[in-house]
Amino acid sequence: MDVKRRVFLAGAAAISSGLRIPAAQAAPATAAPPANRAPLARQPFYPLPAGTIRPAGWLRRQLEIQATGMGGRIDEIWPDLGPDSGWLGGSGESWERGPYFLDGLLPLAWMLDDAALKAKAQKFIDWTLDNAAPGGMFGPRSNDDWWPRMVMLKVLTQYHELTGDPRVIPVMTRYFHHQLAEMPKRPLRDWGRFRWQDEVASVLWLYNRTGDAALLDLAHLLKDQGFDWQALFAGDYPYRGKVTKAQIGLDQPDKPGEAPNGLKEPALSVHGVNNAQALKASPVWAILSGKESDRQAIHRQLAVLDQYHGLPIAMPAADEHLAGRSPSQGVELCAIVEAMYSLEIALAVTGDAALGDRIERIAYNALQATFTDDMWAHQYDQQPNQIRCTHAEGPWTTNGPEANIFGLEPNFGCCTANFHQGWPKLVASLWMATAEGGLAATLYGPCELKTTVAGASLHLRETTEYPFRDSVTIEMTPDRPIRFPLKLRMPGWSDGASISINGQQMAGAQAHQGFVTIDRDWHAGDRITIHFAAKPRRVATPDGSFVELGPLVFALPIDEQWHKLRDHGLTADWEIQPKSEWRYALAPDACFELVDRPIGPTPFSRSNPPVALVTRGQRVVNWPQQGADAAPPPEVPQLDPATTTLILLPYAAPKLRITAFPRTGPS
């Protein structure tokens, strides 16, 4: 009998005979995360337990906006998350939307310590934990799809870290053993087959807490049945431009008795959200394999996506499927939040500071750009060059005519359920524990954290207006003097940085793999101040150029006229028409004047932006529209000789904008 066959039979026997659940001690939220158990490979960084980091300053305000908008109240107006949800025992939507919602609602509620939001999340959690089947399956009985449970497993890991609820470990253990027995006869399919890596992350989370060796067998089984993402990107990558329906079989009728063509390969291998989730596949597998080639494979993956589909916002164009490099192509909101989560995991596994740069580029530009200021409406697809958001045929291959309007559930409701994880998981990844027993500032944003380092309790406060400003202050308050290494990420865009400790300049600080390490004794009141060197610059691309300042991308705002299409109770669907000219290029010799303003109650406000760039531009005579959208920037722009003052705003502020300009000068 082969090894896999013995494992499957053993799993089935364990369930039928009464599974012994390995003990796992509940750790307080301030405890350091457990290191990987043997035989798992050591990681440079380990995510801190959920609840360790709380937002502060403008970032807390952004989470409060989410909580008072759709992020905290969507269940009050959207039946898919209402009291009839299958994840509350009802007969309503019973697939992915309940777990998606919880994956962001749960950390949001605890980060803000909001009793009402906690109660909303707790209802779903209690039903899930209290209604698991004796054989191990959990979730609504109306479907047995492995995929939505992959999402709920992410929720349960966070919930256990937040509360130590003793129900979590047994439910997860029984479910994983159930899967080990069932998957040989009911293997992964469609979405689960392409997103197997998300479950492996939860499997390893549990293994590090229980040491149950059968979990490693399950991880191997998931990979064996899953799509081989690494192989797709390792060879001669076939999808080098906008994917057509013919390339992925969507021009052919579905075959009777088979899955729809859109749920088959190759359509699912070029699906934007699948590619975003696949960014964690090789890093997660590297924890099991220990191979450096697996750890580094993400860089090949990102390089290929950037080369053939890259946009200025560090995301590949994928308005459902990969769409080439035109800045008028879109990117789906689900893909944005899933890419952030994948890269946050990859940063912990690889320790690569460049992944931190990319996370910030996505979060501080693309994430909020797809919402109204109050986060009560969102887009399905956003475009870097977005000249109108209307009911019209867009440049996408398969999405519908309302893919870029702002509303409750434009085009399809997955993003309405899934967007919630973006901001909370960013906060949770601002700091990580290091393999050497210290802490790493992996991303920058105002926050505070309470954790245990070197056996001592530590309260750390990070004060900053980053990314709108380029300085960060970190104050240490340990309960006793302690020594540990502190790692500070040095962003790749910064032309050097100055670091001072208690007012004394730190001389000779050298970054290693993008991090400066300060190994010293730390006392209450110690203060580290970092000043990055950010300056506005033009960045050339094969399709034009764009302007960046630190992690922020800047765009030319187009005057907007909003028109309500339909009401949805607390929210509405909106079209936006342009009211001003958009066909501009930057003057060839243009310079940039930086204008700082106080951060207002809406951090990414168009009407009161925290920062702006004043420059000069010229109208482009030969830049046409293609349907309702801007054509790609002309390679040889014909410029009106007259120059005009242009004010560029952070990308997320205007909802109509030009981000990618024709190339006209040095970059």
Side-chain angles (χ1 to χ4, degrees), residues 611-631:
V611 61
L613 295 176
V614 181
T615 188
R616 293 185 304 112
Q618 294 169 260
R619 195 171 67 84
V620 181
V621 179
N622 61 331
W623 192 353
Q625 286 186 207
Q626 290 179 344
D629 302 287

Side-chain angles (χ1 to χ4, degrees), residues 240-547:
R240 301 187 173 196
K242 182 177 179 178
V243 172
T244 65
K245 289 184 178 181
Q247 280 181 288
I248 54 178
L250 298 185
D251 62 333
Q252 300 296 319
D254 296 334
K255 295 180 180 179
E258 294 187 9
N261 293 337
L263 295 181
K264 295 179 181 176
E265 164 64 8
L268 289 179
S269 70
V270 293
H271 186 271
V273 181
N274 284 350
N275 274 267
Q277 293 185 241
L279 293 174
K280 71 174 77 66
S282 295
V284 165
W285 192 248
I287 301 172
L288 280 127
S289 73
K291 294 180 180 179
E292 188 62 19
S293 59
D294 290 334
R295 194 187 312 274
Q296 296 301 323
I298 186 176
H299 299 299
R300 166 71 179 171
Q301 204 169 347
L302 288 168
V304 168
L305 291 172
D306 285 346
Q307 180 178 359
Y308 299 119
H309 305 282
L311 296 175
I313 50 177
M315 288 291 299
D319 33 40
E320 204 66 25
H321 302 95
L322 295 174
R325 294 190 54 103
S326 168
S328 290
Q329 294 297 149
V331 58
E332 184 183 332
L333 174 53
C334 278
I336 290 166
V337 296
E338 293 291 359
M340 288 172 57
Y341 176 57
S342 291
L343 292 167
E344 288 153 6
I345 288 181
L347 175 55
V349 174
T350 66
D352 187 344
L355 298 179
D357 293 356
R358 187 179 288 264
I359 294 166
E360 291 182 351
R361 175 63 59 91
I362 297 170
Y364 294 147
N365 297 282
L367 178 57
Q368 194 57 29
T370 198
F371 293 99
T372 52
D373 285 355
D374 59 6
M375 294 187 74
W376 264 113
H378 72 86
Q379 296 173 288
Y380 189 84
D381 288 325
Q382 64 172 280
Q383 301 155 282
N385 283 2
Q386 187 163 273
I387 63 170
R388 58 175 42 82
C389 300
T390 59
H391 182 105
E393 183 178 347
W396 13 91
T397 300
T398 57
N399 286 342
E402 293 194 345
N404 80 340
I405 71 164
F406 286 81
L408 171 63
E409 50 177 337
N411 194 65
F412 193 67
C414 55
C415 299
T416 307
N418 193 22
F419 80 78
H420 307 266
Q421 64 173 309
W423 283 117
K425 288 187 180 177
L426 178 83
V427 173
S429 301
L430 293 172
W431 289 84
M432 295 185 186
T434 69
E436 300 80 16
L439 289 173
T442 42
L443 307 170
Y444 291 105
C447 66
E448 61 178 315
L449 67 90
K450 295 180 180 179
T451 188
T452 301
V453 182
S457 296
L458 172 67
H459 181 194
L460 181 151
R461 185 183 300 274
E462 178 178 347
T463 305
T464 182
E465 294 186 340
Y466 187 99
F468 310 109
R469 311 287 185 265
D470 57 8
S471 64
V472 177
T473 298
I474 301 164
E475 185 174 352
M476 301 282 195
T477 309
D479 64 355
R480 58 178 172 80
I482 51 173
R483 185 181 188 93
F484 67 86
L486 179 73
K487 291 181 177 290
L488 305 173
R489 188 183 114 254
M490 296 291 108
W493 49 259
S494 182
D495 297 325
S498 65
I499 303 172
S500 62
I501 302 174
N502 298 330
Q504 297 296 312
Q505 190 76 19
M506 183 178 170
Q510 296 294 320
H512 177 64
Q513 296 182 334
F515 286 85
V516 166
T517 301
I518 307 172
D519 193 351
R520 55 165 280 164
D521 293 326
W522 299 101
H523 301 80
D526 280 346
R527 185 183 295 259
I528 306 102
T529 303
I530 314 165
H531 290 281
F532 299 115
K535 61 182 180 182
R537 69 180 98 193
R538 297 193 202 188
V539 179
T541 74
D543 311 284
S545 66
F546 65 93
V547 177

Side-chain angles (χ1 to χ4, degrees), residues 33-43 45-46 204 207-208 287 349:
N36 287 340
R37 285 180 183 254
L40 302 183
R42 172 172 155 161
Q43 298 178 206
F45 304 140
Y46 293 93
L204 299 185
Y207 174 75
N208 279 330
I287 301 172
V349 174

